[in-house]
Amino acid sequence: MNEQIAKIEEAIRAFKIGSSEDAEQFRLSFLSRKGQIPTLFEQFKQLPGEEKRLYGKTINALKQQAEDLYKEGLQSVQQKQQQSVDYTRSVKDLPFGNRHPLSVIRDEIIDIFARIGFDVSYGPEIEDDWHNFSALNFPEEHPARDMQDTFFVEKNPDFALRTHTSSVQVRVMENEKPPIRTISPGRVYRNEAISARSHCFFHQIEGLYIDKGVSFADLKQTILYFAEQFFGKSKIRMRPSYFPFTEPSAEVDVYWGLNNEVDYRLTKGTGWLEIMGCGMVDPAVLQASNIDPEVYSGFAFGMGVERIALNRYQIPDIRMLSENDMRFLKQF
Ligand code: DAH
């Protein structure tokens, strides 16, 4: 037995742990269940009582020694590994993603309005009739409610995919007290044929301002500020229009100029580019959301994000904005 112990001890001392593979090899040959030391213990158990006394201490000391050497070896291997990592090396080229052009435009617009006190609000894309239509003063027989424009929920036609972000106006007015200044970006849906210029879903940005004494002059000045900040243009015009939820209503054009071929194409030779719809919030809409139209007034506006993107980046087909082809997206 003595001889066996001495042999193992020698082997342990001679063993150099230089790598994690070595450490594992050490563990397997000396410490694991079938290793030399547990085997020694098995033999030890067979010994008569007094011999047990003789060898017990020695074998235990051997085991301790092996465990210590194993731990030390493992530690020094790990330390060496850490020191050998070169933290200054540059990483492999990862295929980074890109901000989507629609997100870029949305965030720019949010920033511009944030500077004049507008916060950001969101609403659901599956919307009920009240928030998408009724509270916005759409008459019962209004064609926008028609099956041709709206995707209704088949099982419950009181719900539909929202056709505009104006629905968020209603939700904000129901939940907040004036003064209200909010921008509502989001995706909207229309049951329309898909082509290079129109899609069955797209994005809008809605704006709403409700307070005491808000006038059409405030609306015009706010839109002018936006046109200057976003398009870098300092001339706008407002053409009378109609929306059920605003009175009076207007379409806004920004003066783009006619300096080159693109300007001609973009503005169809007029120099003016239509950018949004807007108006003074109809008193009936305020009333529907429990805001007293005798005390408060406000304005609202809404614009399409895809349309801005197509113009700004001269993108020939709206479908490119939802295909997520990296060759296209990497250009922005
Ligand atoms: N909701 C309108 C649309 O989808 C856009 C719009 C027009 C929003 C006038 C407004 C507004 O808030 O005042 O075409």
Side-chain angles (χ1 to χ4, degrees), residues 163-164 166 169 190 204 206-207 243 245-246 277-279 300-302:
T163 59
H164 52 182
S166 302
Q169 278 186 31
R190 303 259 172 103
Q204 288 187 332
E206 190 81 11
F243 300 101
F245 35 91
T246 44
C278 68
F301 55 87

Side-chain angles (χ1 to χ4, degrees), residues 2 6 17 25 66 77 134-135 139 158 194 202 209 228 240 243 295:
N2 258 333
I17 298 182
Q25 199 50 55
V77 164
S134 295
D158 190 44
I194 299 169
F202 52 99
Y209 179 25
E228 282 170 345
F243 300 101
V295 180

Side-chain angles (χ1 to χ4, degrees), residues 14 40 57 88 105 109 163 166 169 229 242 252 290 294 326:
L40 201 60
K57 251 186 168 170
T88 63
I105 290 172
I109 294 174
T163 59
S166 302
Q169 278 186 31
Q229 297 287 315
Y242 173 78
V252 182
N290 288 320
E294 299 293 331
M326 279 307 287

Side-chain angles (χ1 to χ4, degrees), residues 13-59:
R13 284 182 190 286
F15 203 110
K16 290 273 170 291
I17 298 182
S19 66
S20 45
E21 288 81 14
D22 290 347
E24 182 59 7
Q25 199 50 55
F26 183 95
R27 191 187 66 80
L28 285 173
S29 67
F30 298 112
L31 296 167
S32 70
R33 206 156 47 85
K34 293 240 166 78
Q36 296 182 44
I37 292 174
T39 308
L40 201 60
F41 268 102
E42 287 306 313
Q43 290 167 7
F44 166 79
K45 274 189 217 157
Q46 317 294 326
L47 294 176
E50 78 202 63
E51 279 192 49
K52 264 192 185 139
R53 221 166 342 111
L54 205 60
Y55 292 117
K57 251 186 168 170
T58 328
I59 296 181

Side-chain angles (χ1 to χ4, degrees), residues 209-247:
Y209 179 25
I210 310 282
D211 202 351
K212 289 177 182 161
V214 178
S215 72
F216 200 90
D218 297 319
L219 168 59
K220 187 172 178 196
Q221 199 58 33
T222 304
I223 306 291
L224 182 60
Y225 159 79
F226 170 71
E228 282 170 345
Q229 297 287 315
F230 187 78
F231 295 106
K233 308 286 182 187
S234 54
K235 200 153 104 188
I236 59 169
R237 73 179 180 192
M238 301 175 98
R239 287 176 287 110
S241 183
Y242 173 78
F243 300 101
F245 35 91
T246 44
E247 182 58 38

